[in-house]
Amino acid sequence: MSSVPRPHVLIVDDDETVRQLVDQYLAQNDFRVSGASRGAELMGALGGQVIDLVLLDLRLRGEDGMQLLRQVRAQSQIPVIILTGRTEEADRVMGLELGADDYLTKPFSPRELLARIRTVLRRTHAGQEVHGAPVCRAYRLPGWELNLRTRRLTGEHGAEVALSNGEFNLLAALLASANRVVTRDQLIEMSRVYDRAVDVQILRLRRKLERNPAEPQIILTERGAGYRIAVPVEAVY
């Protein structure tokens, strides 16, 4: 398992060589990368996963990249960086006016792409802090991601782990209070799990999350107090 939660970037490009280049370079720099070659895959990924940033090629085969950008903006404020071979100023301006956060012309340097991604993520995260408290979309912890919208728990390589309703509610409550001890009464109030079910649900969660459930490293018991998450947790907005 990775020791630090990694930002998730989706690259939408019908050129497999470009997707592989971006995937390999960003993975070497602590990003998780998914790929899509057409609009339907883009919208499907946004609906089912937690994506931190989209790299969108405007010249997908048989599709209008500008229209795809409009669709993304109609349902989300997720950061978008346009990747394209188009060099006309009008295209750059239109893309930015439609809500793209940055624009990079092909061929591009992977190092420049990485710098632009980091800059956009810093800028958008700072904007969220200034403008209030947005709704959390997911929690990330080393090796795991809990999507609050789809109620899915996925491992580092995207494998889904089934959770019961009680397990999901309990895990979400623990992650919302990461690195703080949560008492049994607080867990019952936050998760709506019955008193006698808390210990059973914790045991089941450990079997799914921990490498060795007998020696837990993620969900710790604080004797006489309650439970706490003992690994770094990132809230994704």
Side-chain angles (χ1 to χ4, degrees):
M1 291 185 184
S2 171
S3 60
V4 179
R6 298 184 298 166
H8 189 178
V9 173
L10 175 68
I11 175 168
V12 187
D13 196 309
D14 56 14
D15 187 330
E16 185 177 357
T17 301
V18 173
R19 293 200 309 272
Q20 290 179 347
L21 172 67
V22 171
D23 188 333
Q24 292 172 3
Y25 191 79
L26 292 184
Q28 292 170 2
N29 287 275
D30 298 322
F31 284 82
R32 175 184 167 197
V33 183
S34 295
S37 60
R38 51 198 180 89
E41 295 174 356
L42 161 63
M43 304 312 293
L46 293 181
Q49 303 180 58
V50 175
I51 308 295
D52 295 292
L53 183 142
V54 173
L55 302 173
L56 175 62
D57 180 21
L58 290 184
R59 287 189 172 180
L60 296 178
R61 193 171 293 109
E63 297 188 80
D64 184 346
M66 294 293 187
Q67 182 57 35
L68 290 177
L69 179 56
R70 289 190 184 94
Q71 292 178 28
V72 172
R73 276 292 163 265
Q75 70 174 50
S76 172
Q77 290 303 308
I78 185 171
V80 177
I81 296 178
I82 290 174
L83 301 178
T84 183
R86 296 178 178 177
T87 59
E88 296 85 350
E89 182 180 5
D91 286 332
R92 295 196 298 273
V93 171
M94 180 178 292
L96 294 172
E97 288 183 344
L98 288 176
D101 296 88
D102 203 348
Y103 196 113
L104 196 56
T105 303
K106 296 179 179 179
F108 54 84
S109 158
R111 291 182 62 184
E112 181 181 3
L113 174 63
L114 176 63
R116 286 175 181 260
I117 288 173
R118 287 174 169 166
T119 298
V120 168
L121 288 176
R122 282 196 301 268
R123 185 170 69 235
T124 53
H125 287 172
Q128 289 172 344
E129 292 171 3
V130 168
H131 296 298
V135 176
C136 182
R137 293 185 293 142
Y139 292 110
R140 289 192 183 130
L141 56 158
W144 299 100
E145 177 178 281
L146 184 69
N147 188 324
L148 300 182
R149 292 181 175 178
T150 62
R151 301 174 73 86
R152 293 177 179 172
L153 175 67
T154 53
E156 191 170 25
H157 300 292
E160 184 175 343
V161 176
L163 294 178
S164 68
N165 189 56
E167 290 167 354
F168 170 83
N169 290 339
L170 194 61
L171 182 57
L174 286 167
L175 293 174
S177 304
N179 294 313
R180 300 199 306 270
V181 176
V182 187
T183 68
R184 291 175 59 86
D185 288 343
Q186 288 172 328
L187 279 176
I188 292 167
E189 175 69 23
M190 295 166 68
S191 68
R192 305 302 182 189
V193 172
Y194 292 114
D195 183 24
R196 285 179 288 181
V198 169
D199 294 332
V200 174
Q201 302 284 18
I202 291 289
L203 178 61
R204 290 175 177 170
L205 283 173
R206 282 174 172 161
R207 287 173 177 167
K208 294 177 179 182
L209 292 170
E210 305 278 3
R211 289 185 174 180
N212 181 1
E215 297 181 4
Q217 302 296 313
I218 298 175
I219 304 176
L220 299 189
T221 301
E222 297 292 339
R223 295 193 181 280
Y227 299 95
R228 70 180 176 92
I229 298 291
V231 295
V233 176
E234 174 193 6
V236 183
Y237 296 102

